[in-house]
Amino acid sequence: MVAAGCGGTGRELEPFSGPDGLAGLDFVTRSLTLDPRAGGAGPRLVEVPGGLVNAVGLPNPGLEHFLATELPWLVRAGARVLVSIAGATMGEYADLARRLSRAPGVAGLEVNVGAPDEVGAGLFEVREPYHAASVIAAVRREFPSDRPVLAKLRPDVSRIVEGARSCHEAGATAVVVGNAVPAAFPDGRAGGLSGPAVGPVALRCVAEVHRSLPAMPVIACGGVRDLASARTYLAAGATAVQVGTALLHDPTTVARLRADLAADPQEDA
Amino acid sequence: MPVAEVRTPVHVEGEVVVTKRVGAHRHLTLTAPGVPERFRAGNFVAVSVPGHVARRALWIHRVRASSAFGPTLDVVLEPRGEGTSWLAAQPVGAKVAITGPLGRAFALPKDAVSCLLVGEGYAAAPLFPLAERLRERGCAVSLVVSATDESHLLSALEARRAVRSVTVVTADGSVGQRGQVADHVDDLLRRAGADVVYAAGPTDVLRACAAAAERAGAWSQVALESPTPCGTGLCHGCPLPVAGEDGVDRVVRACTEGPVIRGDRVRWDAL
Ligand SMILES: Cc1cc2nc3c(=O)[nH]c(=O)nc-3n(C[C@H](O)[C@H](O)[C@H](O)COP(=O)(O)O)c2cc1C
């Protein structure tokens, strides 16, 4: 799967996606908000050993524009579109879910309830697992039950099992374990760390969630860049993996990984 | 094949085939299968540096359709950070992951108009292939190359057959006229009778050129050099504030909606 915010609008990724392009690929959009957001001021990303610190600020054209332009393109390209949503209030999440439930071609939703600095980004605060769960419940009520709602959680090992359980009970089809890890830029500005450096952190969280809740599907996200890093998560109990930062380094990563997994089919990813 | 299809970028393993020190710069010639063939002036490549997640964006200075090594492209490096220093140190035969060509190219005028090309330092690189395209269209091209000093100046020798005049400006006066581009650009624009100004270099140079074009009622296109963490449009990490055609202010991606953009669309104060 393509992780939220790391596949552009899809068009920029397509040239690097092999002969089938985006066809059949699980594509999570960047997080969409009801209203357009310009994103943060620069510098938005800085390189650190083993990864990137980002404070991109969820730039997106707003739901209306997305539905009119980006979604139809993604659907035509054959992608399985999972729309990532973010809101400042529970009502906004519900509104997004309701309107997306009527949009043709939306395969499912991914609810961003684990941004590295949600308060700084003006999003609903999800410090406690029940905060995240109440957002999931609000989304689930508005979105058809035959289509998945994924809860994307922050890889915080002290809260992740509780968070995953609450979200699952609130109706999440699966949890995405892993997001950029709360971090700071060299000047102290809040941001999120991603890339290979966060792999072991997310792996610990995936393993704990799977051990405690073996029946719940877990999608791993953090530092996936090749077959070996993907297999590590699958071995720890993940049912699928998402690729984010690696695409920024090598835009062919997902195409390569899909081919490698298909050539070496131990489990379904 | 439709043009759009031919122009889509590729991600390939390239190889250093020539490396040459010229003043303070290092010129590399690389193979990168598919990239030279798709190139248009103003495009750049993103290059991987081992141990680094972010890519390094480099202007394409020149392409050759055929050579002893097959199609090649040239880049000009001024070693500053770890990435450019690593690249500049690569010997012939070194393998490099290259993505390109990326970004919007310079738009070419339909008619044989008069053009002023202004470039500073290594960033003047994309103006050389542009000069050739313009000459092919019968445009009168005046080229201005500037730098802090002679060692940071891109040699205009190779461009001489494509251009009508070359002006050199250095901050220290080591060659050509002394001063900054901003001091000379209005005068140069008037003397060239330019209808279009193309600029490549640091932001202050681009801004001065865009402003001079505005004053003279000419068009301008500027090749912006913002740090582009991925170069491909995926990360949204290179915000470029612009005024839309509809008058609405927006923030676009410098790597995708740029790096070449009309000078009058850039919101310079918000950069
Ligand atoms: C530039 C950038 C933008 C991102 N944007 C979003 C976003 O809009 N929504 C979201 O839920 N996660 C976003 N993320 C987090 C990634 O989707 C991913 O969860 C995180 O980077 C960890 O995975 P990775 O190590 O494979 O990148 C972003 C990450 C990066 C680097």
Side-chain angles (χ1 to χ4, degrees):
Chain A
M1 300 176 72
V2 175
C6 298
T9 63
R11 284 175 212 246
E12 303 82 5
L13 190 60
E14 194 191 31
F16 305 107
S17 301
D20 298 335
L22 304 185
L25 179 64
D26 285 339
F27 184 93
V28 184
T29 67
R30 60 196 185 295
S31 292
L32 287 162
T33 47
L34 274 177
D35 297 322
R37 282 172 64 112
R44 290 178 172 183
L45 285 144
V46 64
E47 207 177 36
V48 296
L52 297 171
V53 175
N54 89 78
V56 176
L58 305 182
N60 80 90
L63 185 67
E64 204 81 49
H65 187 270
F66 170 80
L67 292 176
T69 63
E70 294 183 19
L71 178 63
W73 186 90
L74 283 165
V75 171
R76 262 200 315 282
R80 194 165 164 273
V81 185
L82 297 151
V83 180
S84 171
I85 56 173
T89 63
M90 204 113 76
E92 273 184 30
Y93 276 105
D95 218 11
L96 283 158
R98 182 166 50 253
R99 291 168 63 185
L100 282 160
S101 73
R102 296 194 288 256
V106 175
L109 301 182
E110 182 181 278
V111 189
N112 185 353
V113 280
D117 177 30
E118 81 273 19
V119 178
L123 302 184
F124 187 73
E125 187 173 345
V126 288
R127 203 159 22 87
E128 298 298 327
Y130 73 83
H131 290 149
S134 48
V135 171
I136 297 299
V139 167
R140 192 69 276 187
R141 268 195 297 280
E142 303 292 347
F143 200 72
S145 57
D146 59 342
R147 283 187 274 163
V149 169
L150 313 180
K152 184 173 179 183
L153 301 170
R154 171 180 303 159
D156 171 357
V157 73
S158 66
R159 309 307 292 272
I160 191 76
V161 172
E162 202 186 339
R165 183 183 291 116
S166 326
C167 286
H168 196 42
E169 282 165 8
T173 318
V175 289
V176 179
V177 172
N179 201 327
V181 174
F185 280 75
D187 65 4
R189 225 164 15 112
L193 175 67
S194 68
V198 307
V201 177
L203 180 61
R204 170 86 182 271
C205 293
V206 168
E208 302 238 340
V209 170
H210 181 64
R211 214 172 5 253
S212 311
L213 309 160
M216 188 184 54
V218 177
I219 299 164
C221 180
V224 175
R225 59 198 176 281
D226 53 16
L227 186 60
S229 47
R231 285 252 172 266
T232 307
Y233 280 121
L234 298 176
T239 52
V241 296
Q242 295 190 348
V243 181
T245 301
L247 281 170
L248 313 183
H249 177 72
D250 174 351
T252 65
T253 304
V254 165
R256 260 192 303 108
L257 191 53
R258 283 176 96 190
D260 289 350
L261 284 166
D264 179 26
Q266 293 174 15
E267 254 176 279
D268 188 18
Chain B
M1 232 190 290
V3 172
E5 220 165 298
V6 180
R7 299 294 182 199
T8 57
V10 293
H11 179 85
V12 294
E13 179 175 86
E15 185 181 332
V16 177
V17 294
V18 181
T19 165
K20 196 168 60 190
R21 196 172 77 91
V22 183
H25 299 146
R26 174 67 62 172
H27 291 235
L28 295 186
T29 301
L30 299 144
T31 59
V35 180
E37 295 86 333
R38 292 170 165 80
F39 164 77
R40 286 185 295 161
N43 287 151
F44 67 97
V45 286
V47 174
S48 299
V49 177
H52 292 259
V53 172
R55 319 267 334 262
R56 300 301 185 272
L58 302 169
W59 298 112
I60 301 175
H61 181 38
R62 162 177 199 175
V63 299
R64 288 180 196 78
S66 62
S67 75
F69 312 102
T72 58
L73 62 89
D74 286 9
V75 295
V76 182
L77 295 161
E78 182 185 306
R80 284 153 302 163
E82 283 177 52
T84 42
S85 302
W86 177 84
L87 260 169
Q90 292 310 296
V92 167
K95 302 281 198 281
V96 186
I98 297 176
T99 312
L102 295 167
R104 289 227 170 131
F106 289 112
L108 301 172
K110 282 200 194 66
D111 304 318
V113 297
S114 173
C115 304
L116 180 70
L117 278 51
V118 184
E120 181 158 302
Y122 67 87
L127 298 181
F128 291 73
L130 172 67
E132 284 177 30
R133 290 296 84 68
L134 292 170
R135 188 200 50 167
E136 285 165 13
R137 294 186 168 224
C139 295
V141 178
S142 306
L143 176 67
V144 183
V145 283
S146 75
T148 46
D149 59 31
E150 188 173 8
S151 74
H152 291 87
L153 204 56
L154 275 196
S155 165
L157 276 182
E158 281 185 41
R160 282 210 191 260
R161 62 195 178 86
V163 305
R164 194 176 60 176
S165 75
V166 176
T167 306
V168 173
V169 179
T170 52
D172 65 354
S174 49
V175 289
Q177 305 185 26
R178 178 191 298 271
Q180 305 294 329
V181 162
D183 307 330
H184 299 285
V185 65
D186 286 286
D187 188 39
L188 290 162
L189 211 165
R190 192 163 24 79
R191 273 196 279 143
D195 305 291
V196 187
V197 180
Y198 293 96
T203 307
D204 57 333
V205 170
L206 305 184
R207 187 173 188 169
C209 290
E214 196 86 29
R215 284 192 289 275
W219 292 100
S220 70
Q221 287 187 44
V222 299
L224 277 157
E225 202 172 280
S226 350
T228 50
C230 74
T232 48
L234 300 179
C235 81
H236 293 263
C238 53
L240 170 60
V242 299
E245 310 272 3
D246 51 8
V248 179
D249 287 351
R250 291 198 179 79
V251 178
V252 299
R253 293 164 292 182
C255 70
T256 309
E257 280 83 6
V260 174
I261 189 158
R262 255 172 48 194
D264 60 331
R265 288 196 54 204
V266 178
R267 290 191 283 133
W268 299 99
D269 287 327
L271 261 187

